[in-house]
Amino acid sequence: MVQRLLTVAVFFTMLFCCDLVAAGTGTQNMEELSKELANPLAQIWNLSFQYTYAKVTGDLVDGSEHLNTWLLQPVLPVPAGEKYTAFARPVIPVIEGPSAIGITGGTPANPVGTGRERSTDLGDIVLPVGIGIARNTGWSWGLGTTFIFPTASNDLLASHQYQAGPTALALWSSRNWNVGTHLQHWWGVADDGASDDNPLIRSAHDRNLNHTNIQYFVIRHLPDAWQIRASPNITIDWEADSGNRLTLPVGLGIGKMVKIGPMPVMLMAEYQYSVIAPDDIGRESTIMLQVNFIINNPFAGK
């Protein structure tokens, strides 16, 4: 059911994008759009759909295990004064993975698990908000607050806690390069009020959440709107023991800006491998596929 609803959402989003794309994108060529989209603080609207296949391994994993994750990420920045940009970048996940009886790991922003049953469910929604300055060349930066809401319906992979903390973004851009990082940190601030009769929920409520996500990105722009890129997420669970605290992936991928009818679309594919992963349970490797639909920002230039 969740997968069917996701498919319907993608279809109607594409129709919505087609209606908005006409104004504002015709004057920009594909290479310019590709470079602008690489700056997370640029005043360009896009709707991102990402799919990841993650191989899960560790001492507590018996045999093979994996997660399928779909992410919807609307990026709709608006001007805040003459030089600032206000941003909100919600990440809405749908996760196909272990449920009910099993073992969980990772962090609430990037959960992993292993178990005897599987289901497809909504995950916890992440919402960073803030303000920053975007520049075509040189340094761009942003500061704000990030939240995690306990919306997950899979008790094994859910955090069952409201979380909040700081977020910061820094990016250096040149004609052919974008290099930067997006840091988010969360502490648990309150549980979700669910009944402790379920031992999985009781354990989640008792957990002391203190974790960090650092996405780093390196993008080399090539002719004809191609790019070579890497954008993995480093995760740190500060409450875990030393052997299960850090996940450090490296990645390599490609991107290409194309037009589908009147709509500019960014296509990306990337492979990531964790050179450091938790001993007990963690992501060994990830295959990421992503499509970004570029739409007109009605506030840009105002």
Side-chain angles (χ1 to χ4, degrees), residues 184-195:
Q184 299 182 83
H185 183 86
W186 301 273
W187 294 278
V189 295
D191 68 46
D192 61 358
S195 173

Side-chain angles (χ1 to χ4, degrees), residues 251-274:
L252 183 63
I254 59 172
K256 168 69 173 174
M257 182 71 76
V258 300
K259 266 194 173 182
I260 300 177
M263 182 189 300
V265 177
M266 187 71 189
L267 305 175
M268 290 172 275
E270 187 172 323
Y271 176 79
Q272 302 169 4
Y273 180 81
S274 297

Side-chain angles (χ1 to χ4, degrees), residues 197-253:
D197 292 341
N198 184 327
L200 288 174
I201 297 176
R202 186 187 318 119
S203 176
H205 286 170
D206 292 340
R207 186 179 177 189
N208 186 19
L209 295 180
N210 177 18
H211 58 106
T212 302
N213 189 96
I214 306 170
Q215 183 182 33
Y216 68 90
F217 37 92
V218 179
I219 302 172
R220 175 64 164 91
H221 297 282
L222 302 172
D224 199 27
W226 283 92
Q227 58 182 223
I228 299 174
R229 56 181 296 116
S231 56
N233 288 277
I234 301 169
T235 62
I236 308 170
D237 182 353
W238 298 102
E239 298 299 319
D241 59 58
S242 59
N244 292 293
R245 183 170 298 165
L246 176 65
T247 301
L248 176 59
V250 295
L252 183 63

Side-chain angles (χ1 to χ4, degrees), residues 268-289:
M268 290 172 275
E270 187 172 323
Y271 176 79
Q272 302 169 4
Y273 180 81
S274 297
V275 295
I276 300 176
D279 295 336
D280 290 345
I281 180 172
R283 296 171 187 252
E284 179 186 78
S285 60
T286 300
I287 297 172
M288 183 271 286
L289 304 174

Side-chain angles (χ1 to χ4, degrees), residues 79-104:
E82 294 185 0
K83 63 178 181 178
Y84 293 99
T85 297
F87 63 88
R89 301 173 64 90
V91 180
I92 305 168
V94 173
I95 304 172
E96 188 278 324
S99 61
I101 299 172
I103 299 168
T104 187

